[in-house]
Amino acid sequence: MIEVRNLTRIFRTYKKQPGFWGGIKGLFNREFEETAAAKDISFDIAEGEFVGFLGPNGAGKTTTLKMLSGLIYPTSGSARVAGFDPSKRDNAYRRLFALVLGQKNQLWWDLPAQESFLLLRHIYGIPGKQYQETLDELVDLLGVRAKLNVMVRELSLGERMKMELIAALLHRPRVLFLDEPTIGLDVVSQKAVRSFLREYNRKYKVTILLTSHYMADIKELCERVIVIHKGIKIYDGALARLEATGGRKKIIKFRPAQVPFPALVELAEDKTTVTDDGEVILHVPSAEVVTVSQRILAAGPVADITIEDVPLEDVITELFNAH
């Protein structure tokens, strides 16, 4: 469904010197800086796949989604979505995909959401019966029927995002690009949006490319992830395989019943930290978890002890640092 080959986007920005005279100098001698927001990115996504697109701020995730949507042109390389070249912006292509940007609205701020929905119906030429059936299904799945007549500016952030998803899906796209759709949402709203996306993908086999800084979104929705850093793809594969790289270590947390705790320095060869409230955190190889735990219990009285996997966030952070 999505084929990307050596996709590159370079931005050229003017470097202004500070102050009034810096502006005057810039009129006659301008300095420019080139930044590769995306550099030689290649990947394929099959129809119906739900793929996570990860990377730190400024990695090039949104730039890539905008190139796939036809909003900006690539400097070099190529992309095809459902057989179309996004940069040509064919009307037929624009009818088969949708883009949701978590930090930007497409709904009219001072009108109820249903007014924007009617406008989108005419823009996409959706038949009346299909429009009503789709709208009824989406508002019931997201539980926002009672809010259709409320002005968008009076909705909560979570309710607005649900309305944005409805607007994006009214024309039943085959491809959905989601750029941080749960940003700023509370835990309940995040869960509702994730549940909706999971069900919608399962039911309609829509191809979804999701960017998110919330690892809960990725872990619950995606079996495959693509990771980019500084515009370069550094990982493309199963999420389980990425998590397994963190499985070589475990985190042992315990709270001593007395302070100072005997032989604290000797407990682990790897990273050891002590929080402000006295909790001790050890990073140890998985093969040594039992041995280190026994040494902790033998060294002195312990109020509580837990053994945890390395968080996915830490695994990905180490991946970034390695590149």
Side-chain angles (χ1 to χ4, degrees), residues 5 24 48 191 194 208 213 223 235 314:
R5 295 291 179 272
I24 296 298
K191 185 175 181 180
R194 286 196 295 264
I208 302 178
H213 288 297
E223 293 184 357
Y235 179 83
D314 293 350

Side-chain angles (χ1 to χ4, degrees), residues 111-170:
L111 291 176
Q114 68 175 4
E115 300 293 334
S116 294
F117 296 159
L118 285 171
L119 175 62
L120 289 169
R121 175 202 162 187
H122 291 289
I123 289 175
Y124 285 102
I126 306 171
K129 182 179 179 181
Q130 176 185 322
Y131 165 78
Q132 197 59 52
E133 289 176 352
T134 304
L135 181 62
D136 288 341
E137 179 184 20
L138 293 174
V139 297
D140 288 340
L141 280 171
L142 288 167
V144 290
R145 184 174 292 277
K147 301 294 182 178
L148 288 175
N149 293 316
V150 179
M151 283 186 288
V152 170
R153 60 182 171 84
E154 296 180 358
L155 297 173
S156 69
L157 183 60
E159 290 166 344
R160 287 204 303 273
M161 181 48 62
K162 292 176 182 178
M163 295 299 185
E164 292 286 345
L165 286 171
I166 292 173
L169 297 172
L170 276 174

Side-chain angles (χ1 to χ4, degrees), residues 43 45 51-53 65 68 176-178 207-211 226:
F43 58 81
I45 298 178
V51 179
F53 200 35
L65 291 188
L68 293 177
L176 181 60
F177 301 121
L178 299 173
T207 304
I208 302 178
L209 187 57
L210 165 72
T211 79
I226 298 170

Side-chain angles (χ1 to χ4, degrees), residues 1-3 45 79-86 92-93 96-97 174-175 207:
M1 181 61 74
I2 301 175
E3 302 172 69
I45 298 178
R80 298 196 71 81
V81 182
F84 290 92
D85 181 351
Y93 173 62
L96 65 79
F97 85 92
R174 295 170 56 197
V175 179
T207 304

